[in-house]
């Protein structure tokens, strides 16, 4: 039995039908990067299989999360805001899978990549910094 969704930073959610052009029905593991904001949204980023053309900013290996079974990367180009209620409803109905929390040291690497990846959209970089009170381009908390 899967754990219930705790919509906190570092939570992971499997969302089906987010696959590539070759496999639309496939799904991805998504990582929650921010707490739910006043608009009821969270910033999420997908984990994708590394097929050699990946964004090299944050690579993940087998065992970095139980869901990861092959070399993977964080696809910062697909950062997106998701409605928190949709995420909760998806997990409650078993359409999405709550996959637990990402280990803190790995989550820290993922977060640093939001500002370091050349593929992160500036609007999501700003949103991330505002929501987490971090400095742009560092991922570190302000002094």
């Amino acid at each position: 039995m899967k754990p219930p969704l705790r919509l906190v930073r570092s939570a992971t959610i499997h969302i089906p039908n987010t696959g590539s052009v070759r496999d639309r029905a496939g799904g991805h593991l998504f990582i929650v990067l921010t707490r739910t904001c006043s608009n009821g949204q969270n910033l999420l980023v997908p984990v994708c299989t590394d097929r050699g053309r990946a964004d090299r900013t944050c690579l993940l290996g087998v065992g970095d999360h139980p869901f990861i079974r092959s070399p993977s990367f964080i696809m910062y180009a697909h950062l997106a805001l998701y409605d928190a209620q949709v995420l909760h409803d998806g997990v409650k109905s078993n359409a999405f899978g709550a996959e637990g929390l990402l280990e803190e040291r790995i989550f820290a690497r993922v977060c640093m990549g939001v500002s370091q990846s050349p593929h992160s959209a500036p609007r999501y970089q700003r949103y991330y910094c505002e929501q987490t009170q971090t400095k742009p381009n560092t991922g570190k908390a302000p002094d």
Side-chain angles (χ1 to χ4, degrees):
M1 182 173 179
K2 295 280 182 182
L5 177 62
R6 290 181 50 218
L7 201 50
V8 297
R9 294 182 73 217
S10 82
T12 58
I13 305 168
H14 177 256
I15 302 178
N17 301 315
T18 57
S20 67
V21 173
R22 294 183 310 219
D23 180 20
R24 286 281 182 222
H28 286 93
L29 183 69
F30 283 77
I31 301 168
V32 178
L33 299 176
T34 61
R35 291 181 181 93
T36 305
C37 72
S38 60
N39 291 333
Q41 298 179 312
N42 298 84
L43 184 64
L44 276 64
V45 67
V47 177
C48 300
T49 300
D50 184 353
R51 301 195 196 293
R53 297 186 307 263
D55 177 345
R56 309 314 279 176
T57 304
C58 185
L59 301 177
L60 300 179
V62 174
D64 282 343
H65 183 280
F67 197 87
I68 298 173
R69 295 181 285 277
S70 60
S72 300
F73 71 103
I74 301 300
M75 186 175 273
Y76 294 103
H78 288 185
L79 280 161
L81 292 173
Y82 284 79
D83 183 89
Q85 192 61 54
V86 169
L87 296 172
H88 277 290
D89 291 349
V91 169
K92 188 174 181 179
S93 70
N94 291 318
F96 302 165
E99 301 294 338
L101 302 178
L102 193 61
E103 186 179 312
E104 188 57 39
R105 70 178 173 77
I106 297 167
F107 182 66
R109 287 182 26 230
V110 172
C111 290
M112 289 293 290
V114 173
S115 60
Q116 294 174 348
S117 174
H119 303 286
S120 294
R123 68 184 174 134
Y124 293 130
Q125 289 176 333
R126 285 189 302 275
Y127 178 87
Y128 176 82
C129 288
E130 289 167 4
Q131 295 301 312
T132 60
Q133 299 179 354
T134 53
K135 294 179 183 178
N137 299 319
T138 67
K140 296 181 181 175
D143 296 327

